[in-house]
């Protein structure tokens, strides 16, 4: 006897049996019950989520003689069985648009639809699968009949790529009721697989079914096909090890071993680790996907300690490795690993071993993240809080003069009867005088106020830079252009010079810098110039950072 695949054998017979798609199945069931079925439907969604199944159930419900009052087909009569099995039926026709996509096929479909159903009270249902494969001309041939179809004729179009229909045949969308099917959740797939196994008289651990459900990526048909494959391998006994063997999954223990290599920066062992994977027959692309998932698991464990997908010793092993890395480092590792998938280099490469080795080496050489304040404190640059009071000394201040402290007489004891202590007057603290702004702050304030800047110069001067030389001269670096021409005259420069002198509280002689190579080209902005200017701004805001840059040879990356 020939074997019937589980995906076909356990296809739902009723609206209520379709998992996750209640927003579609319940709507269609109520439409059948209330005699409000539309003349054209568009079912959109990923593969294996129930589009064709619901199309057949709808066709069964419309043509079933023993349909229940709730709109459910009986699933037992000859008509229901023929439709459910995809066999030849007079009033239900399934068409594969991938092989019947031309305008002649569409015209033939249109002519066949003009004939009445085979019996009174029945419906003619045309199910067109992979509808996005129809040509523009084929859609145009169907436009009129979709807008004004013959009585008791229903079209159901199923597609995984509705955007193609939007692109090539946008008028079709307004002539159909569209339903978007969701991906099926892992828990719903596990529940369905459990039901199927019970009907088959088999059992399996939940963790093994969960592995199959994750690999199915939201498709129930894919999950049932994987289950069929594992049962064929094991002869009916499903275990976690057999599921991993069929799927080619790498055990989590290998990722724990890898994280130890990365944590201890054992760069040379990366090559031996990858070679070991190849010797054991693992697919490197599959290992890479598991690596991304493992890093994400560690990041989640480092942030909230929630590793519900792991149990026992494996959970503790991942949590221990997660504590060895900071969350910021794990985010960087996850970003670096994800870049390989985004670029597609692993799948396109003829040598995936080299791509994977380079990724793992980059992760092993990854430096730890250090906060800027921690770096400054380590260099001895911690600042006291501005509100910290001045330390008060209990010793009597030394007398003025050239004598040393040893020459001063010892202070008298406060409890000595020979000393008549005099009251000490402490002057009231006066309001601290506000220090004048720096030259850079004064320049920024001048551009912000704009009152002393001649009309039309403020936008042009935002590209200029002011600098005080070691000999006290104040130099203004202005790119070549109209701003430099106006300041070269002297009048406008004098007004700016007087306002800067007033802001900083001292006399300033403002001169224009000579035009160098960077300014002669019109102030062209280059990535190197932007990085240099950004570093200068950071050093001005935090002078101690300059020491860190010089001593540690730091470089501004972004």
């Amino acid at each position: 006897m020939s074997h019937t695949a589980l995906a076909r054998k356990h296809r739902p017979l009723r609206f209520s049996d379709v998992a996750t798609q209640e927003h579609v199945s319940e709507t269609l069931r109520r439409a059948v019950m209330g005699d409000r079925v539309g003349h054209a439907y568009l079912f959109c969604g990923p593969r294996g989520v129930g589009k064709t199944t619901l199309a057949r159930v709808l066709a069964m419900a419309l043509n079933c003689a023993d349909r229940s009052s709730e709109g459910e087909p009986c699933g037992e009569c000859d008509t229901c069985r023929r439709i459910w099995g995809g066999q030849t039926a007079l009033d239900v026709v399934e068409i594969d648009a991938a092989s019947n996509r031309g305008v002649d096929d569409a015209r033939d479909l249109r002519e066949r639809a003009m004939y009445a159903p085979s019996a009174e009270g029945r419906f003619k249902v045309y199910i067109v699968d992979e509808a996005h494969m129809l040509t523009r001309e084929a859609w145009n041939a169907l436009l009129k009949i979709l807008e004004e179809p013959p009585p008791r004729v229903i079209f159901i179009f199923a597609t995984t790529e509705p955007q193609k229909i939007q692109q090539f045949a946008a008028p079709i969308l307004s002539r159909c009721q569209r339903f978007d099917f969701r991906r099926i959740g892992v828990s719903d797939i596990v529940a369905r697989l459990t039901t199927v196994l019970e009907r088959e008289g088999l059992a399996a651990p939940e963790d093994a079914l969960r592995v199959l459900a994750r690999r199915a990526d939201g498709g129930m048909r894919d999950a049932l096909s994987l289950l069929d494959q594992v049962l064929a391998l094991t002869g009916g006994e499903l275990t976690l090890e057999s599921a991993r063997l069929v799927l080619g999954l790498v055990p989590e223990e290998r990722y724990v071993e890898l994280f130890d290599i990365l944590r201890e920066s054992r760069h040379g062992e990366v090559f031996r680790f990858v070679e070991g994977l190849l010797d054991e027959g693992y697919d490197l692309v599959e290992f890479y996907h598991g690596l991304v998932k493992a890093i994400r698991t560690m990041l989640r464990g480092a942030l909230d300690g929630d590793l519900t997908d792991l149990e026992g010793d494996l959970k503790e092993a991942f949590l221990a490795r997660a504590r060895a890395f900071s969350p910021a480092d794990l985010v960087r590792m996850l970003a670096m690993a994800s870049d390989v998938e985004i670029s597609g280099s692993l799948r396109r490469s003829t040598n995936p071993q080299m791509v994977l080795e380079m990724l793992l080496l980059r992760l092993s050489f990854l430096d730890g993240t250090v906060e800027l304040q921690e770096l400054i404190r380590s260099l001895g640059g911690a600042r006291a809080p501005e509100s910290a009071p001045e330390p008060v000394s209990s010793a009597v201040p030394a007398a003025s003069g050239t004598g040393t402290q040893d020459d001063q007489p010892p202070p008298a004891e406060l409890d000595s009867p020979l000393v008549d202590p005099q009251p000490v007057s402490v002057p009231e603290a006066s309001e601290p005088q506000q220090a004048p702004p720096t030259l850079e702050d004064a320049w920024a304030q001048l551009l912000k106020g704009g009152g002393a800047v001649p009309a039309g110069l403020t936008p042009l001067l935002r590209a200029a830079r002011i600098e005080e030389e070691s000999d006290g001269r104040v130099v203004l670096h202005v790119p070549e252009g109209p701003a430099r021409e106006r300041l070269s005259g002297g009048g406008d420069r004098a007004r700016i010079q007087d306002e800067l002198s007033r802001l900083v509280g001292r006399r300033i002689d403002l001169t224009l810098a000579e035009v160098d190579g960077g300014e002669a080209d019109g102030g062209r902005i280059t990535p190197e110039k932007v990085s240099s200017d950004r570093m200068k701004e950071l050093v001005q805001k935090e002078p101690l950072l300059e020491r860190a840059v010089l001593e540690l040879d730091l470089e501004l990356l972004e």
Side-chain angles (χ1 to χ4, degrees), residues 37-146:
V37 179
H39 65 275
Y41 291 97
L42 179 62
F43 290 172
C44 311
R47 69 177 191 272
V49 295
K51 299 187 297 297
T52 305
T53 295
L54 267 177
R56 290 182 179 180
V57 173
L58 176 59
M60 291 163 56
L62 291 173
N63 293 297
C64 179
D66 300 326
R67 184 180 67 204
S68 67
S69 59
E70 288 79 17
E72 293 280 12
C74 70
E76 300 295 335
C77 65
D78 184 66
T79 301
C80 287
R81 289 194 171 277
R82 282 183 172 275
I83 298 173
W84 180 75
Q87 300 173 6
T88 303
L90 291 177
D91 297 321
V92 179
V93 179
E94 289 194 31
I95 300 173
D96 179 20
S99 55
N100 301 274
R101 59 193 304 263
V103 63
D104 293 335
D105 300 305
R107 289 171 179 167
D108 179 63
L109 174 62
R110 184 180 60 187
E111 293 175 1
R112 293 166 60 185
M114 300 303 296
Y115 294 97
S118 60
E120 185 71 22
R122 298 175 67 91
F123 286 81
K124 299 196 71 171
V125 182
Y126 292 93
I127 302 174
V128 182
D129 204 4
E130 303 295 337
H132 59 273
M133 298 294 291
L134 290 176
T135 63
R136 188 191 304 270
E137 293 76 14
W139 282 118
N140 291 335
L142 294 175
L143 278 177
K144 188 62 177 178
I145 194 172
L146 288 178

Side-chain angles (χ1 to χ4, degrees), residues 311-326:
E311 296 180 358
D313 297 340
L314 193 59
K315 179 178 180 179
E316 294 300 325
F318 267 82
L319 287 176
R321 274 68 182 179
R323 287 188 289 267
F325 299 91
S326 69

Side-chain angles (χ1 to χ4, degrees), residues 325-550:
F325 299 91
S326 69
D329 291 336
L330 291 174
V331 170
R332 293 165 62 197
M333 293 170 65
L334 186 59
M336 293 171 61
S338 300
D339 286 342
V340 177
E341 175 69 17
I342 294 173
S343 63
S345 58
L346 189 62
R347 293 189 179 275
R348 293 199 310 264
S349 175
T350 58
N351 188 3
Q353 177 181 355
M354 183 185 66
V355 178
L356 182 61
E357 288 174 346
M358 289 303 299
L359 172 62
L360 298 183
L361 285 173
R362 291 175 62 195
L363 295 179
S364 67
F365 279 101
L366 186 67
D367 295 328
T369 302
V370 180
E371 296 289 340
L372 180 59
Q373 295 297 331
E374 181 181 349
L375 176 61
I376 294 176
R377 284 195 299 268
S378 66
L379 295 174
R383 294 181 174 181
E386 295 181 357
S387 59
E390 290 283 338
V392 180
S393 174
S394 61
V396 177
S400 61
T402 58
T404 62
Q405 185 175 359
D406 295 335
D407 298 331
Q408 304 300 325
E413 295 292 334
L414 293 180
D415 57 353
S416 172
L418 300 179
V419 178
D420 185 14
Q422 299 295 327
V424 180
S425 62
V426 179
E428 295 183 0
S430 59
E431 290 292 333
Q433 295 183 354
Q434 186 175 3
T438 62
L439 182 61
E440 291 78 6
D441 293 340
W443 176 253
Q445 184 178 348
L446 177 67
L447 294 180
K448 184 177 180 182
V453 180
L457 268 183
T458 300
L460 301 176
L461 289 179
R462 296 192 188 280
R465 177 172 55 88
I466 196 167
E467 184 178 13
E468 186 170 5
E469 303 289 347
S470 58
D471 56 1
R473 292 187 308 113
V474 177
V475 181
L476 185 62
H477 298 265
V478 183
E480 191 70 23
R484 187 176 185 85
E485 294 176 1
R486 292 185 58 176
L487 294 179
S488 299
D492 293 337
R493 187 170 76 246
R495 291 179 58 184
I496 297 176
Q497 175 178 285
D498 294 341
E499 181 64 16
L500 282 176
S501 300
R502 185 187 67 80
L503 291 175
V504 300
R506 56 187 175 89
R507 181 62 184 173
I508 287 180
D509 293 327
L510 187 63
T511 60
L512 291 180
E514 296 293 333
V515 179
D516 55 14
E519 294 174 345
D521 60 355
R524 182 172 59 88
I525 299 176
T526 63
E528 294 77 11
K529 185 176 185 301
V530 172
S531 178
S532 176
D533 293 344
R534 177 61 177 157
M535 179 64 78
K536 290 179 181 178
E537 292 178 6
L538 294 175
V539 171
Q540 289 176 359
K541 293 179 181 178
E542 182 54 71
L544 291 173
L545 181 61
E546 184 176 10
R547 179 181 173 191
V549 173
L550 295 176

Side-chain angles (χ1 to χ4, degrees), residues 285-335:
V285 176
E286 185 62 42
F287 171 81
Y288 162 76
H289 291 297
L291 173 63
V292 175
K293 177 185 174 184
I295 298 176
R296 177 188 176 276
T297 301
M298 286 186 57
L299 178 59
R300 184 175 181 180
L303 293 176
D304 58 12
D306 183 15
L307 296 181
T308 55
D309 295 340
L310 302 177
E311 296 180 358
D313 297 340
L314 193 59
K315 179 178 180 179
E316 294 300 325
F318 267 82
L319 287 176
R321 274 68 182 179
R323 287 188 289 267
F325 299 91
S326 69
D329 291 336
L330 291 174
V331 170
R332 293 165 62 197
M333 293 170 65
L334 186 59

